[in-house]
Amino acid sequence: MKAAIALAILVLAPMGGTSQGYAAETPGAAAPAYAEVMALFAARTRGHVAFTETHELALLKTPVRSSGELVYVAPDRLEKHTLEPKPETLILDHGVLQAERGHHRYTIALADAPQVLPFIESVRATLAGDAAALERYFAVRFEGDAAHWRMLLTPRQAALAGSVSEIRMEGERAAISSVEIRERDGDRSLLSIGPELPP
Amino acid sequence: MTGGGKAGTLVWALGCLLAASIAARARYVTDISAFLPRAPSATQRLLVEQLREGPAARMIIAAIDGGSPQARARVSTAVSDALRAGGEFTLVSNGSPATLERDRRFLFEHRYVLSDAMAGEHFSSRGLHEAIGASIEALASPEGPLLKPLFRRDPTGELLHILDAGSRSAPHVEAGVWSSRDGTRALLLLQTRAAGSDTDALQRACGAVRSAFSQALLPLSPPERSTLHLLMSGPPVFAVTAREQIRHEALKLSLLSALLIALLLGSVYRSVPALVLGLIPVATGALAGIVAVALGFGAIHGITLGFGVTLIGESIDYSIYLFIQRSSDWRTTLWPTLRLGVLTSIAGFAALVPSSFPGLAQLGLYSIAGLICAALVTRYVLPAWLPGELAIRDLRPTGETLARVIDRLRRLRWLLVPIVLLATTSLYVHRGSLFSHELAALNPIPAADQALDQRLRAELGAPDVRYMVVVPAASRERALDAAAAVGTGLTGLVDAGVIGGFESPARYLPGLAVQQSRRGSIPAAALLAANLAQAVQGLPVDAQVLQPFLEDAEAARTGGPLGRAELQGTSFGALSDALLVKDGSGWSALLPISATDSGDLAASAVERIRTALSAGPQAASLLDLKGEADQLYAGYLRQAMQLSVAGFAIIVLLLLVALRSPGRVLRVLAPLVLAVITVAGILAGMGQQIGILHVVGMLLIVAVGSNYALFFDRKDAPSATALTLASLVVANLATVLAFGVLASSGVPVLADLGSTVAPGALLALVFSALLSRGTPAAMRRAA
């Protein structure tokens, strides 16, 4: 008997999704500080921080705010536990995203979901110090030094970019302090990361 | 030629003419239905119907293996396009956005009729407030980018709700098409337009896939082309393969065993006339068998002709006895023994005729007619044709050598004790797993093909369904309504984590009453607008932004009913057809259940489903497909055993009447029973589970082996004994050859029968010789 096929995948193809050509003119910064920061991240094995997030959507009058904790275990496990205003759990493990929100549970294989991938992979690859993975999807422009750096990530391939136009990340040494994701329709989200929490 | 001989020849010639004309007009079927039993109970009938005819019997999984993901995706898309244009298939899915677009559009357009949340207060101001609030949270989640484009038209998240209710397993996608998880294959799911029983049309459909594949390869570079392969699986592929195999095997096996037996007899007789004359009873018998089956069953299964190879092995024996033991008084000395042997063989085969398996029943009738005819031809026609001096090699010296060998062997008859002890020990050790309990044991599909099927199904996230709820109803509408009601109960079990999910035909095509009530839960335009204005109070969204929602809701409220036509071209059309079946008295909705993990449902989960079903007003029952199929098989195994015991009892009775001495009957049967025990022990020792065909084979060991045992029971003149021995050994070798050829067959049922009877027949002869009460001194004198 044919089980229902691929229902969940349907949601992965957005209605009338458009994509424009994207110039990927800036190759990964060759600055020594970039390599240094990546090496610092690569040396990290875990992290546990608090976050607050703000989504600004054109559809909504006021931003959606949430807060909670992030847990990272090198190299590819990332957990996002949203506590306020409603509990939500996201677990990324080996490229598979599992999410739970109220009764709604779903699983997304990142490789199958180009619309979701840039949101997740930008943070994961940076945390892992995985410059190769980062540069596979994004042109990286690095500014500043290891003590205080900024990165501008621009998706390389329109097809893989989904709706993301650019991602701005800031941090100090092997710690990300903020991630700002801008979408082509003008929507944006800002993830602010606090200092390391006690284990 | 004597007067009697002339009459015999005339009858034979006329009979052959008549038989040939019947055989030429007979209908031959080579599909796999010979393996599908007639089913007794209603659920089992449904099961067998599903296996033979149902939509599941029309599903093909095709895999494109090797090469790069891009090349596979290109070929996958080209094959899909070609097959969609071709018209052989009602469903062609390869996971490409184009395939999914139709499905997604269908779900989205009809979301207010398809969503089971559409009830009661869902679109009241309060209901809207909650649903829109939840959607806003989802917008900020990783799903957000996917949901954002839908929000203005579907702020209550009905599409997500419909998708949530469905199966959660989605095939992996690579380079835009369905792929195996390990990224080595692109996968396509196809459903043939032709019925599962129309093997010719299925063959055309399979051919269409292959030619679409080779066409799709053409634009690729030669090195790329050579790395890509097409794999196909599924019931239509199996039906076509099995038919080809049976056709091929029936011919191959018959030719091979005829050739081997001709070689054997040629080297024994050293006479071409003897060889040709010897084959006449066999050919006549085969013809008679075909006619009997054609008249008795209306059509002849190809597999029967495959089994019929056994007839060659057995019926050739008669002419062997006639030629080798030829003497003026053979009618009084040899014929009575031969006649009794034929009768015991017939008794054995007669036990197969009532079998529930068409293949076995036909084998029984075919063999009975064939053996009677071959024996009669040997007795009444052949002698008249023998030239005065049939110059076959004198086998007396061979016979005398054999007599000495056996004489020596008889001193080793104590060896029977350890042999039988070993066999019974082997049976005892394997007693727990002695009998095969799975219907799969009869599956004509080779194990490797079954393994490929399992793998492809798992990769596509479409595993074999083991449990399904069956909801019978008088009409299609009622079945859909009842399925919807049962679905409500099952949703509770999904939420409680008892089951992983379920499918229902009502999910994609709700009954009209359900559609009506869902439409009815949408307030009229003005009221809905007012509800929405109130609902967005306290939410960060303006009612104005959600204007498209009001328009869609009003369109749904006033829209026409959703029918099967709207599902055309989506994968839900095929799914809904598969889950809504018409049977004799009405309709049945099928709701396949999946476990929370990839395995089978736990016993406690099965219990809770049964409880939930019995609590509802619908006449729904949980069908365990595998359990039911295995139970069906167990029934047939039991039947095969009963038939075999009955056949054995008839043989015993026959011998008692003919021999008029319990002691002699015991002496005739003892070596045969020991041969059966030894063969069973060997099979068990080799890890072979004993199935229906093995059981039947054991009966045939007794039926065929009794011929040899009876000859050892004869009180012959010493010179005749030497010739008897020679003819027995030649006849036995012919039988072992025929069944040995059967054992080499790629069709499991044929191989099972052959691998049981071939060693069994040999052992029957050897054991009969060991246990015979010969007169060694007399033989030595003769030498």
Side-chain angles (χ1 to χ4, degrees), chain A residues 2 4 7 13 15 55 59-62 86 88 90 101 104 106 112 183 185 187, chain B residues 104 137-138 140-143 148 150 152 163-164 172-173 189 503 508 540 542 575:
Chain A
K2 174 172 146 301
L7 284 181
M15 281 219 134
H55 280 266
L59 286 169
L60 304 181
K61 291 185 292 190
T62 54
K86 288 258 179 76
E88 180 188 53
L90 295 174
R101 187 176 64 247
H104 180 55
Y106 59 98
D112 297 349
E183 295 179 59
D185 58 9
D187 289 353
Chain B
R104 193 187 44 75
E137 286 162 28
S141 81
E143 286 176 299
K148 212 160 61 178
L150 309 177
R152 299 182 65 190
L163 293 172
D164 265 358
H172 180 68
V173 173
L189 189 65
E503 271 310 337
Y508 310 106
D542 276 328
L575 185 62

mmCIF file of all heavy atoms in Angstrom, chain A residues 2 4 7 13 15 55 59-62 86 88 90 101 104 106 112 183 185 187, chain B residues 104 137-138 140-143 148 150 152 163-164 172-173 189 503 508 540 542 575:
data_model
loop_
_atom_site.group_PDB
_atom_site.id
_atom_site.type_symbol
_atom_site.label_atom_id
_atom_site.label_comp_id
_atom_site.label_asym_id
_atom_site.label_seq_id
_atom_site.Cartn_x
_atom_site.Cartn_y
_atom_site.Cartn_z
ATOM 1 N N LYS A 2 0.517 2.115 -0.797
ATOM 2 C CA LYS A 2 1.296 3.338 -0.857
ATOM 3 C C LYS A 2 0.906 4.204 0.331
ATOM 4 O O LYS A 2 -0.233 4.602 0.485
ATOM 5 C CB LYS A 2 0.963 4.041 -2.156
ATOM 6 C CG LYS A 2 1.571 5.391 -2.324
ATOM 7 C CD LYS A 2 1.286 5.834 -3.749
ATOM 8 C CE LYS A 2 1.069 7.315 -3.896
ATOM 9 N NZ LYS A 2 0.019 7.911 -3.174
ATOM 10 N N ALA A 4 0.994 7.669 2.418
ATOM 11 C CA ALA A 4 0.944 9.047 1.913
ATOM 12 C C ALA A 4 2.359 9.480 1.659
ATOM 13 O O ALA A 4 3.235 9.323 2.484
ATOM 14 C CB ALA A 4 0.324 9.947 2.949
ATOM 15 N N LEU A 7 4.117 14.187 2.181
ATOM 16 C CA LEU A 7 3.232 15.295 2.503
ATOM 17 C C LEU A 7 4.017 16.445 3.109
ATOM 18 O O LEU A 7 3.839 17.593 2.742
ATOM 19 C CB LEU A 7 2.142 14.830 3.462
ATOM 20 C CG LEU A 7 1.060 14.024 2.775
ATOM 21 C CD1 LEU A 7 0.014 13.613 3.773
ATOM 22 C CD2 LEU A 7 0.432 14.824 1.654
ATOM 23 N N ALA A 13 7.846 23.775 -0.380
ATOM 24 C CA ALA A 13 7.844 24.500 -1.644
ATOM 25 C C ALA A 13 6.894 25.681 -1.496
ATOM 26 O O ALA A 13 5.701 25.527 -1.582
ATOM 27 C CB ALA A 13 7.380 23.592 -2.773
ATOM 28 N N MET A 15 4.619 29.015 -1.953
ATOM 29 C CA MET A 15 3.809 29.501 -3.069
ATOM 30 C C MET A 15 4.509 30.627 -3.774
ATOM 31 O O MET A 15 4.975 31.569 -3.159
ATOM 32 C CB MET A 15 2.482 30.023 -2.530
ATOM 33 C CG MET A 15 1.532 28.928 -2.224
ATOM 34 S SD MET A 15 -0.086 29.471 -2.701
ATOM 35 C CE MET A 15 -0.680 28.066 -3.558
ATOM 36 N N HIS A 55 11.694 39.399 15.521
ATOM 37 C CA HIS A 55 11.353 39.270 14.100
ATOM 38 C C HIS A 55 10.540 40.474 13.687
ATOM 39 O O HIS A 55 9.522 40.755 14.302
ATOM 40 C CB HIS A 55 10.505 38.012 13.875
ATOM 41 C CG HIS A 55 11.308 36.755 13.817
ATOM 42 N ND1 HIS A 55 11.751 36.210 12.649
ATOM 43 C CD2 HIS A 55 11.726 35.935 14.794
ATOM 44 C CE1 HIS A 55 12.429 35.101 12.901
ATOM 45 N NE2 HIS A 55 12.421 34.915 14.203
ATOM 46 N N LEU A 59 4.140 41.851 7.421
ATOM 47 C CA LEU A 59 2.765 41.421 7.632
ATOM 48 C C LEU A 59 2.246 41.858 9.000
ATOM 49 O O LEU A 59 1.045 41.977 9.210
ATOM 50 C CB LEU A 59 2.678 39.886 7.581
ATOM 51 C CG LEU A 59 2.784 39.208 6.216
ATOM 52 C CD1 LEU A 59 2.938 37.708 6.427
ATOM 53 C CD2 LEU A 59 1.564 39.518 5.386
ATOM 54 N N LEU A 60 3.166 42.077 9.929
ATOM 55 C CA LEU A 60 2.762 42.313 11.310
ATOM 56 C C LEU A 60 3.036 43.754 11.722
ATOM 57 O O LEU A 60 4.017 44.369 11.283
ATOM 58 C CB LEU A 60 3.516 41.351 12.239
ATOM 59 C CG LEU A 60 3.351 39.866 11.889
ATOM 60 C CD1 LEU A 60 4.126 39.009 12.886
ATOM 61 C CD2 LEU A 60 1.887 39.461 11.857
ATOM 62 N N LYS A 61 2.140 44.254 12.589
ATOM 63 C CA LYS A 61 2.264 45.639 13.044
ATOM 64 C C LYS A 61 3.460 45.815 13.965
ATOM 65 O O LYS A 61 4.162 46.810 13.925
ATOM 66 C CB LYS A 61 0.997 46.057 13.806
ATOM 67 C CG LYS A 61 -0.224 46.176 12.929
ATOM 68 C CD LYS A 61 -1.396 46.708 13.726
ATOM 69 C CE LYS A 61 -1.846 45.679 14.766
ATOM 70 N NZ LYS A 61 -3.136 46.070 15.408
ATOM 71 N N THR A 62 3.643 44.838 14.830
ATOM 72 C CA THR A 62 4.728 44.945 15.806
ATOM 73 C C THR A 62 5.613 43.709 15.703
ATOM 74 O O THR A 62 5.167 42.651 15.256
ATOM 75 C CB THR A 62 4.159 45.022 17.244
ATOM 76 O OG1 THR A 62 3.297 43.893 17.412
ATOM 77 C CG2 THR A 62 3.378 46.300 17.464
ATOM 78 N N LYS A 86 6.058 31.476 24.154
ATOM 79 C CA LYS A 86 5.521 30.110 24.161
ATOM 80 C C LYS A 86 6.691 29.152 23.978
ATOM 81 O O LYS A 86 7.603 29.437 23.205
ATOM 82 C CB LYS A 86 4.543 29.916 22.979
ATOM 83 C CG LYS A 86 3.212 30.623 23.110
ATOM 84 C CD LYS A 86 2.119 29.637 23.534
ATOM 85 C CE LYS A 86 0.770 30.305 23.702
ATOM 86 N NZ LYS A 86 0.122 30.598 22.409
ATOM 87 N N GLU A 88 9.099 26.473 22.636
ATOM 88 C CA GLU A 88 9.344 25.831 21.344
ATOM 89 C C GLU A 88 10.733 25.225 21.401
ATOM 90 O O GLU A 88 11.635 25.809 21.977
ATOM 91 C CB GLU A 88 9.271 26.862 20.209
ATOM 92 C CG GLU A 88 9.506 26.255 18.846
ATOM 93 C CD GLU A 88 9.633 27.310 17.731
ATOM 94 O OE1 GLU A 88 10.457 28.221 17.884
ATOM 95 O OE2 GLU A 88 8.928 27.177 16.744
ATOM 96 N N LEU A 90 13.866 23.477 19.137
ATOM 97 C CA LEU A 90 14.441 23.127 17.841
ATOM 98 C C LEU A 90 15.720 22.377 18.114
ATOM 99 O O LEU A 90 16.537 22.824 18.917
ATOM 100 C CB LEU A 90 14.801 24.382 17.044
ATOM 101 C CG LEU A 90 13.696 25.317 16.601
ATOM 102 C CD1 LEU A 90 14.324 26.551 15.957
ATOM 103 C CD2 LEU A 90 12.807 24.604 15.608
ATOM 104 N N ARG A 101 6.428 22.464 18.609
ATOM 105 C CA ARG A 101 5.775 23.682 19.078
ATOM 106 C C ARG A 101 4.342 23.294 19.378
ATOM 107 O O ARG A 101 3.581 22.957 18.481
ATOM 108 C CB ARG A 101 5.840 24.757 17.990
ATOM 109 C CG ARG A 101 5.338 26.117 18.443
ATOM 110 C CD ARG A 101 5.509 27.158 17.358
ATOM 111 N NE ARG A 101 4.711 26.849 16.191
ATOM 112 C CZ ARG A 101 5.175 26.514 15.004
ATOM 113 N NH1 ARG A 101 6.476 26.454 14.795
ATOM 114 N NH2 ARG A 101 4.375 26.234 14.012
ATOM 115 N N HIS A 104 2.373 20.649 17.436
ATOM 116 C CA HIS A 104 2.947 20.581 16.099
ATOM 117 C C HIS A 104 4.400 20.133 16.172
ATOM 118 O O HIS A 104 5.229 20.762 16.811
ATOM 119 C CB HIS A 104 2.832 21.967 15.472
ATOM 120 C CG HIS A 104 3.382 22.056 14.087
ATOM 121 N ND1 HIS A 104 2.969 21.234 13.059
ATOM 122 C CD2 HIS A 104 4.313 22.881 13.554
ATOM 123 C CE1 HIS A 104 3.620 21.547 11.969
ATOM 124 N NE2 HIS A 104 4.443 22.545 12.239
ATOM 125 N N TYR A 106 7.621 18.638 13.719
ATOM 126 C CA TYR A 106 8.022 18.411 12.335
ATOM 127 C C TYR A 106 9.522 18.205 12.250
ATOM 128 O O TYR A 106 10.277 18.543 13.162
ATOM 129 C CB TYR A 106 7.580 19.553 11.424
ATOM 130 C CG TYR A 106 8.113 20.920 11.810
ATOM 131 C CD1 TYR A 106 9.225 21.438 11.163
ATOM 132 C CD2 TYR A 106 7.503 21.666 12.814
ATOM 133 C CE1 TYR A 106 9.714 22.696 11.521
ATOM 134 C CE2 TYR A 106 7.985 22.908 13.174
ATOM 135 C CZ TYR A 106 9.093 23.426 12.517
ATOM 136 O OH TYR A 106 9.572 24.648 12.871
ATOM 137 N N ASP A 112 17.240 19.125 2.188
ATOM 138 C CA ASP A 112 16.016 19.127 1.381
ATOM 139 C C ASP A 112 15.305 20.472 1.408
ATOM 140 O O ASP A 112 14.295 20.646 0.740
ATOM 141 C CB ASP A 112 15.017 18.084 1.919
ATOM 142 C CG ASP A 112 15.559 16.687 1.815
ATOM 143 O OD1 ASP A 112 16.590 16.503 1.143
ATOM 144 O OD2 ASP A 112 14.944 15.780 2.396
ATOM 145 N N GLU A 183 15.793 39.637 4.845
ATOM 146 C CA GLU A 183 15.190 38.934 3.733
ATOM 147 C C GLU A 183 14.909 39.904 2.614
ATOM 148 O O GLU A 183 14.843 41.121 2.812
ATOM 149 C CB GLU A 183 13.904 38.226 4.194
ATOM 150 C CG GLU A 183 14.203 37.133 5.198
ATOM 151 C CD GLU A 183 12.941 36.441 5.677
ATOM 152 O OE1 GLU A 183 12.225 35.895 4.818
ATOM 153 O OE2 GLU A 183 12.672 36.470 6.890
ATOM 154 N N ASP A 185 12.256 40.502 1.033
ATOM 155 C CA ASP A 185 11.008 41.274 1.102
ATOM 156 C C ASP A 185 11.064 42.347 2.186
ATOM 157 O O ASP A 185 10.057 42.975 2.495
ATOM 158 C CB ASP A 185 9.817 40.333 1.334
ATOM 159 C CG ASP A 185 9.988 39.514 2.601
ATOM 160 O OD1 ASP A 185 10.940 39.792 3.374
ATOM 161 O OD2 ASP A 185 9.195 38.592 2.831
ATOM 162 N N ASP A 187 11.712 41.896 5.379
ATOM 163 C CA ASP A 187 11.589 41.352 6.737
ATOM 164 C C ASP A 187 12.984 41.092 7.288
ATOM 165 O O ASP A 187 13.927 40.813 6.549
ATOM 166 C CB ASP A 187 10.796 40.033 6.708
ATOM 167 C CG ASP A 187 9.320 40.281 6.421
ATOM 168 O OD1 ASP A 187 8.916 41.462 6.379
ATOM 169 O OD2 ASP A 187 8.587 39.293 6.233
ATOM 170 N N ARG B 104 0.160 20.226 -3.816
ATOM 171 C CA ARG B 104 0.113 21.322 -2.858
ATOM 172 C C ARG B 104 -1.020 22.284 -3.194
ATOM 173 O O ARG B 104 -1.751 22.748 -2.341
ATOM 174 C CB ARG B 104 1.461 22.043 -2.895
ATOM 175 C CG ARG B 104 1.689 22.995 -1.762
ATOM 176 C CD ARG B 104 2.964 23.767 -1.997
ATOM 177 N NE ARG B 104 3.030 24.198 -3.386
ATOM 178 C CZ ARG B 104 2.308 25.183 -3.866
ATOM 179 N NH1 ARG B 104 1.491 25.853 -3.075
ATOM 180 N NH2 ARG B 104 2.402 25.511 -5.143
ATOM 181 N N GLU B 137 3.228 32.780 15.708
ATOM 182 C CA GLU B 137 4.404 32.136 16.327
ATOM 183 C C GLU B 137 5.165 31.320 15.296
ATOM 184 O O GLU B 137 6.398 31.316 15.272
ATOM 185 C CB GLU B 137 3.970 31.202 17.462
ATOM 186 C CG GLU B 137 3.528 31.936 18.707
ATOM 187 C CD GLU B 137 2.706 31.021 19.594
ATOM 188 O OE1 GLU B 137 2.932 29.797 19.543
ATOM 189 O OE2 GLU B 137 1.831 31.534 20.314
ATOM 190 N N ALA B 138 4.423 30.604 14.467
ATOM 191 C CA ALA B 138 5.075 29.772 13.459
ATOM 192 C C ALA B 138 5.877 30.627 12.482
ATOM 193 O O ALA B 138 6.922 30.202 11.986
ATOM 194 C CB ALA B 138 4.036 28.945 12.707
ATOM 195 N N ALA B 140 7.691 33.063 13.085
ATOM 196 C CA ALA B 140 8.998 33.386 13.652
ATOM 197 C C ALA B 140 9.873 32.149 13.815
ATOM 198 O O ALA B 140 10.982 32.238 14.296
ATOM 199 C CB ALA B 140 8.813 34.077 15.000
ATOM 200 N N SER B 141 9.350 30.984 13.442
ATOM 201 C CA SER B 141 10.119 29.741 13.590
ATOM 202 C C SER B 141 10.849 29.446 12.283
ATOM 203 O O SER B 141 10.673 30.178 11.309
ATOM 204 C CB SER B 141 9.158 28.597 13.907
ATOM 205 O OG SER B 141 8.559 28.142 12.719
ATOM 206 N N PRO B 142 11.664 28.390 12.259
ATOM 207 C CA PRO B 142 12.367 28.061 11.004
ATOM 208 C C PRO B 142 11.404 27.776 9.858
ATOM 209 O O PRO B 142 11.776 27.877 8.699
ATOM 210 C CB PRO B 142 13.152 26.797 11.362
ATOM 211 C CG PRO B 142 13.308 26.847 12.828
ATOM 212 C CD PRO B 142 12.076 27.519 13.355
ATOM 213 N N GLU B 143 10.163 27.413 10.177
ATOM 214 C CA GLU B 143 9.189 27.209 9.116
ATOM 215 C C GLU B 143 8.720 28.533 8.517
ATOM 216 O O GLU B 143 8.074 28.532 7.475
ATOM 217 C CB GLU B 143 7.943 26.513 9.662
ATOM 218 C CG GLU B 143 8.101 25.055 9.965
ATOM 219 C CD GLU B 143 6.828 24.530 10.597
ATOM 220 O OE1 GLU B 143 6.443 25.022 11.674
ATOM 221 O OE2 GLU B 143 6.216 23.655 9.991
ATOM 222 N N LYS B 148 5.261 32.101 5.364
ATOM 223 C CA LYS B 148 4.995 33.527 5.161
ATOM 224 C C LYS B 148 4.153 33.810 3.914
ATOM 225 O O LYS B 148 3.192 34.575 3.976
ATOM 226 C CB LYS B 148 6.330 34.279 5.098
ATOM 227 C CG LYS B 148 6.239 35.677 5.634
ATOM 228 C CD LYS B 148 7.599 36.215 6.008
ATOM 229 C CE LYS B 148 8.527 36.286 4.814
ATOM 230 N NZ LYS B 148 9.830 36.864 5.182
ATOM 231 N N LEU B 150 1.944 32.162 2.626
ATOM 232 C CA LEU B 150 0.571 31.649 2.723
ATOM 233 C C LEU B 150 -0.262 32.404 3.749
ATOM 234 O O LEU B 150 -1.480 32.272 3.793
ATOM 235 C CB LEU B 150 0.595 30.161 3.129
ATOM 236 C CG LEU B 150 1.490 29.230 2.309
ATOM 237 C CD1 LEU B 150 1.445 27.822 2.878
ATOM 238 C CD2 LEU B 150 1.053 29.220 0.851
ATOM 239 N N ARG B 152 -1.419 35.390 4.513
ATOM 240 C CA ARG B 152 -2.550 36.295 4.294
ATOM 241 C C ARG B 152 -3.796 35.540 3.838
ATOM 242 O O ARG B 152 -4.912 35.973 4.097
ATOM 243 C CB ARG B 152 -2.179 37.373 3.261
ATOM 244 C CG ARG B 152 -1.009 38.221 3.738
ATOM 245 C CD ARG B 152 -0.684 39.311 2.747
ATOM 246 N NE ARG B 152 -1.780 40.272 2.646
ATOM 247 C CZ ARG B 152 -1.848 41.222 1.714
ATOM 248 N NH1 ARG B 152 -0.900 41.305 0.809
ATOM 249 N NH2 ARG B 152 -2.866 42.050 1.699
ATOM 250 N N LEU B 163 -1.417 18.908 6.662
ATOM 251 C CA LEU B 163 -0.144 18.212 6.488
ATOM 252 C C LEU B 163 0.264 17.484 7.756
ATOM 253 O O LEU B 163 0.796 16.382 7.706
ATOM 254 C CB LEU B 163 0.947 19.205 6.081
ATOM 255 C CG LEU B 163 0.775 19.826 4.701
ATOM 256 C CD1 LEU B 163 1.789 20.929 4.489
ATOM 257 C CD2 LEU B 163 0.902 18.769 3.616
ATOM 258 N N ASP B 164 -0.007 18.107 8.899
ATOM 259 C CA ASP B 164 0.318 17.479 10.182
ATOM 260 C C ASP B 164 -0.392 16.164 10.342
ATOM 261 O O ASP B 164 0.147 15.214 10.907
ATOM 262 C CB ASP B 164 -0.129 18.396 11.332
ATOM 263 C CG ASP B 164 1.012 19.262 11.808
ATOM 264 O OD1 ASP B 164 2.114 19.102 11.263
ATOM 265 O OD2 ASP B 164 0.787 20.085 12.713
ATOM 266 N N HIS B 172 13.624 11.627 0.823
ATOM 267 C CA HIS B 172 14.745 12.543 0.729
ATOM 268 C C HIS B 172 14.735 13.165 -0.663
ATOM 269 O O HIS B 172 14.351 12.522 -1.628
ATOM 270 C CB HIS B 172 15.997 11.703 0.948
ATOM 271 C CG HIS B 172 17.266 12.453 0.887
ATOM 272 N ND1 HIS B 172 17.615 13.375 1.838
ATOM 273 C CD2 HIS B 172 18.279 12.416 0.002
ATOM 274 C CE1 HIS B 172 18.802 13.861 1.532
ATOM 275 N NE2 HIS B 172 19.214 13.304 0.424
ATOM 276 N N VAL B 173 15.123 14.417 -0.748
ATOM 277 C CA VAL B 173 15.171 15.061 -2.059
ATOM 278 C C VAL B 173 16.601 15.475 -2.360
ATOM 279 O O VAL B 173 17.292 16.031 -1.511
ATOM 280 C CB VAL B 173 14.253 16.302 -2.102
ATOM 281 C CG1 VAL B 173 14.450 17.056 -3.409
ATOM 282 C CG2 VAL B 173 12.799 15.883 -1.959
ATOM 283 N N LEU B 189 7.760 6.939 -8.215
ATOM 284 C CA LEU B 189 6.625 6.102 -7.844
ATOM 285 C C LEU B 189 5.617 6.152 -8.992
ATOM 286 O O LEU B 189 5.218 7.229 -9.422
ATOM 287 C CB LEU B 189 5.997 6.640 -6.559
ATOM 288 C CG LEU B 189 4.942 5.760 -5.920
ATOM 289 C CD1 LEU B 189 5.556 4.456 -5.448
ATOM 290 C CD2 LEU B 189 4.312 6.479 -4.750
ATOM 291 N N GLU B 503 -3.543 6.774 7.411
ATOM 292 C CA GLU B 503 -4.065 7.360 6.198
ATOM 293 C C GLU B 503 -5.548 7.080 6.141
ATOM 294 O O GLU B 503 -6.021 6.111 6.754
ATOM 295 C CB GLU B 503 -3.379 6.753 4.967
ATOM 296 C CG GLU B 503 -2.116 7.478 4.558
ATOM 297 C CD GLU B 503 -2.311 8.975 4.433
ATOM 298 O OE1 GLU B 503 -3.462 9.418 4.226
ATOM 299 O OE2 GLU B 503 -1.313 9.697 4.559
ATOM 300 N N TYR B 508 -8.559 13.058 1.859
ATOM 301 C CA TYR B 508 -8.403 13.798 0.606
ATOM 302 C C TYR B 508 -9.728 13.944 -0.129
ATOM 303 O O TYR B 508 -9.837 14.725 -1.047
ATOM 304 C CB TYR B 508 -7.382 13.097 -0.278
ATOM 305 C CG TYR B 508 -6.143 12.813 0.493
ATOM 306 C CD1 TYR B 508 -5.823 11.533 0.916
ATOM 307 C CD2 TYR B 508 -5.333 13.873 0.902
ATOM 308 C CE1 TYR B 508 -4.703 11.305 1.696
ATOM 309 C CE2 TYR B 508 -4.215 13.654 1.681
ATOM 310 C CZ TYR B 508 -3.913 12.356 2.077
ATOM 311 O OH TYR B 508 -2.823 12.149 2.866
ATOM 312 N N PRO B 540 -0.570 41.159 16.733
ATOM 313 C CA PRO B 540 0.187 42.193 15.986
ATOM 314 C C PRO B 540 -0.138 42.170 14.501
ATOM 315 O O PRO B 540 0.770 42.238 13.671
ATOM 316 C CB PRO B 540 1.643 41.811 16.259
ATOM 317 C CG PRO B 540 1.612 40.333 16.444
ATOM 318 C CD PRO B 540 0.288 39.998 17.055
ATOM 319 N N ASP B 542 -3.098 43.447 11.327
ATOM 320 C CA ASP B 542 -4.297 44.192 10.976
ATOM 321 C C ASP B 542 -5.269 43.287 10.224
ATOM 322 O O ASP B 542 -4.843 42.488 9.387
ATOM 323 C CB ASP B 542 -3.931 45.356 10.041
ATOM 324 C CG ASP B 542 -3.461 46.564 10.844
ATOM 325 O OD1 ASP B 542 -3.964 46.731 11.974
ATOM 326 O OD2 ASP B 542 -2.588 47.287 10.343
ATOM 327 N N LEU B 575 -4.106 7.620 -4.298
ATOM 328 C CA LEU B 575 -4.149 7.197 -2.902
ATOM 329 C C LEU B 575 -5.588 6.950 -2.469
ATOM 330 O O LEU B 575 -5.901 5.937 -1.836
ATOM 331 C CB LEU B 575 -3.513 8.292 -2.040
ATOM 332 C CG LEU B 575 -3.364 7.977 -0.562
ATOM 333 C CD1 LEU B 575 -2.460 6.774 -0.377
ATOM 334 C CD2 LEU B 575 -2.786 9.172 0.173
#
